[in-house]
Amino acid sequence: MTRIAIVGAGMAGLSALDALSKHGHVVTLFDKSRGSGGRMASKKVGDASWDMGAQFIRAHDAEFMRTLKQWQVQGWVGEWKVTPHMIDAEGIRLSDDEVTRYVGVSRMTALSRQLLVPASEFFPSTRIVSCQRTDSEWLLTDENNQHYGPFDSLIINTPPQQALPLLDNSHLAAAIKDVKMLPCWTLLLAFSKPVESPVNAAFVHDSAIAWLARNNSKPQRDATETWVIQANHAWSQEQVDAPREDVLQALEQAFFTALGVQGYAVSEHWLHRWLYAVPTTPLDAGALFDANRQLAVCGDWCLRGTLEGAWLSGQQAASYF
Ligand SMILES: Cc1cc2nc3c(=O)[nH]c(=O)nc-3n(C[C@H](O)[C@H](O)[C@H](O)COP(=O)(O)OP(=O)(O)OC[C@H]3O[C@@H](n4cnc5c(N)ncnc54)[C@H](O)[C@@H]3O)c2cc1C
């Protein structure tokens, strides 16, 4: 039985937890956020709720497909029966996309809560600022100078920029330091009446927006009319430090323009800046391992910038222990 700490309870960390707990390891997770899920986040404001980060899960890998099907049987995910539209300068048309998309029910974070269950302990709202390796053990310290451990092994599941300060001089830093992540401004809107449009989801071009989706068209959501609007990465990068009010207005306007509708009063809204949204050049390594220190690093940026990539990365990290 090994005592393993995982810093970061995103999909990769939760995937590692799943594999490690099946092998009888005792796993403790830490996350700086109030809950688990990382970029698989949901947001609630008043009666409105949205999936604020990852919008859906799709599978290419056979093992991940089996896992998704199992989650579906367990009632943790449902199929989102949607055919996205394409919106560009020429107008709105249905795409020929036949992808099967799954979503956590009744929100994306609900899946992360289920995946967290095997943890021996979970410390939310705990930002780890230092990981120190003694001769054979790891000791962790948070920003309030609280200490945790000892642990036999450590898995770091954070974006690369947040992993670097935690590596305690491991040689893994060299592989990580050049991995770049792009930002994504995300606007969440709620309306007191349905927006009349055939569109439930769309890939958008020729606009500040890359993706928009009617959140309440997903299975088991509240009935409140809610939309998720994600800016494209180039626009988000250009506007990364722009005043929030300017970003909000620009994206709201781009949303109405894209759908070709007007006259809808926004009842609730939320604007979020994902600073580390997607990796530009993932490592294609799966995960990284420093055997001398019993340290693994995982995350979507080690493989592919999707939930599937994160899950596979977490499985690989767990396989080292
Ligand atoms: C806007 C947006 C839309 C997306 N849409 C999709 C989609 O539709 N489909 C899809 O498959 N993928 C999508 N993705 C990508 C997907 O969300 C990610 O690939 C996946 O969630 C990454 O998981 P992860 O575990 O690698 O990292 P993360 O989810 O980022 O988890 C890392 C965790 O580490 C924590 N952390 C960081 N530093 C510390 C610290 N010092 N101490 C403690 N905790 C720390 C963070 O709080 C976070 O919870 C989207 C991403 C974004 C941002």
Side-chain angles (χ1 to χ4, degrees):
M1 184 187 79
T2 311
R3 300 160 300 174
I4 302 179
I6 301 180
V7 179
M11 178 56 102
L14 293 168
S15 164
L17 164 66
D18 168 65
L20 292 168
S21 58
K22 283 177 181 155
H23 283 93
H25 299 300
V26 175
V27 185
T28 304
L29 279 98
F30 301 86
D31 204 291
K32 65 181 173 59
S33 300
R34 278 189 299 162
S36 56
R39 279 172 276 158
M40 188 170 50
S42 306
K43 180 75 193 170
K44 192 163 173 48
V45 180
D47 288 338
S49 58
W50 305 262
D51 294 328
M52 184 165 74
Q55 296 293 289
F56 55 81
I57 316 172
R58 60 179 293 194
H60 304 83
D61 176 87
E63 197 190 339
F64 185 58
M65 189 70 228
R66 270 196 299 278
T67 302
L68 259 180
K69 291 279 182 200
Q70 192 184 326
W71 292 345
Q72 189 177 20
V73 169
Q74 288 165 298
W76 299 356
V77 300
E79 191 181 332
W80 181 24
K81 294 189 192 327
V82 67
T83 305
H85 282 71
M86 297 280 291
I87 303 179
D88 59 19
E90 287 171 23
I92 303 179
R93 61 197 175 282
L94 211 53
S95 73
D96 54 8
D97 176 318
E98 291 181 349
V99 170
T100 305
R101 294 179 165 82
Y102 296 87
V103 292
V105 288
S106 56
R107 61 182 81 89
M108 289 300 267
T109 43
L111 171 61
S112 81
R113 299 233 171 87
Q114 297 289 358
L115 295 175
L116 188 59
V117 168
S120 141
E121 273 188 292
F122 175 51
F123 292 91
S125 305
T126 304
R127 183 191 292 270
I128 298 299
V129 293
S130 150
C131 304
Q132 284 184 315
R133 180 80 177 162
T134 61
D135 284 348
S136 61
E137 292 175 332
W138 282 99
L139 294 172
L140 276 52
T141 307
D142 73 13
E143 60 188 341
N144 298 317
N145 210 27
Q146 296 292 312
H147 303 292
Y148 305 89
F151 301 100
D152 304 302
S153 308
L154 171 65
I155 296 179
I156 296 177
N157 161 223
T158 70
Q161 292 74 8
Q162 293 164 330
L164 278 172
L166 304 180
L167 290 177
D168 191 26
N169 296 323
S170 166
H171 71 267
L172 297 182
I176 295 175
K177 67 178 175 26
D178 294 328
V179 182
K180 302 269 182 304
M181 304 284 286
L182 285 173
C184 177
W185 277 108
T186 299
L187 177 61
L188 311 174
L189 296 178
F191 300 94
S192 49
K193 60 177 183 179
V195 173
E196 286 185 29
S197 166
V199 175
N200 281 331
F203 297 105
V204 186
H205 302 276
D206 309 319
S207 166
I209 300 175
W211 166 262
L212 52 83
R214 197 190 305 257
N215 199 79
N216 51 311
S217 70
K218 294 179 175 179
Q220 297 184 39
R221 265 55 183 178
D222 297 335
T224 309
E225 179 79 357
T226 47
W227 286 79
V228 176
I229 297 130
Q230 293 173 350
N232 68 53
H233 297 300
W235 190 89
S236 298
Q237 183 68 64
E238 282 165 20
Q239 307 295 325
V240 72
D241 293 319
R244 295 177 66 83
E245 192 55 35
D246 294 358
V247 173
L248 194 153
Q249 277 181 15
L251 291 182
E252 192 177 309
Q253 188 53 50
F255 168 73
F256 288 124
T257 303
L259 284 186
V261 298
Q262 54 188 356
Y264 290 90
V266 173
S267 56
E268 299 284 3
H269 74 270
W270 188 264
L271 180 70
H272 184 78
R273 184 186 68 171
W274 292 101
L275 198 50
Y276 305 121
V278 290
T280 46
T281 45
L283 286 178
D284 201 25
L288 304 170
F289 185 48
D290 182 339
N292 285 337
R293 287 164 176 259
Q294 287 299 293
L295 165 68
V297 180
C298 63
D300 62 342
W301 53 274
C302 292
L303 189 62
R304 257 196 313 280
T306 61
L307 287 167
E308 177 183 51
W311 186 85
L312 289 167
S313 175
Q315 295 287 301
Q316 182 161 330
S319 73
Y320 298 131
F321 302 105

